[in-house]
Amino acid sequence: MDAYRLLGYVDWLSQRPYSFIHGATGELSVDQAAQVRRQLAWARFQDGVPVPTDGALNYTDY
């Protein structure tokens, strides 16, 4: 899911070193070596369902 979302932004992200897009699994960026980096979103399980922690991404927004 994140790979598909990232396709349209690879060039844009590679030209902006401190930019990122929100993905389903965290914040996605491209570093100077053209490698995709992901900052994971923290969550905790509540009744078997992952719930984003305070300040984390909300997967229902995507």
Side-chain angles (χ1 to χ4, degrees):
M1 181 177 190
D2 281 344
Y4 180 75
R5 180 173 173 82
L6 189 62
L7 281 176
Y9 293 97
V10 172
D11 290 334
W12 186 85
L13 286 170
S14 64
Q15 296 172 4
R16 293 163 179 82
Y18 298 103
S19 298
F20 62 89
I21 62 168
H22 296 288
T25 60
E27 296 173 343
L28 305 169
S29 62
V30 176
D31 66 12
Q32 293 176 345
Q35 295 180 337
V36 175
R37 300 288 180 187
R38 176 180 60 193
Q39 179 68 37
L40 296 175
W42 287 93
R44 65 174 165 253
F45 283 92
Q46 189 171 30
D47 297 324
V49 177
V51 177
T53 58
D54 292 338
L57 299 175
N58 187 345
Y59 66 90
T60 59
D61 292 339
Y62 305 104

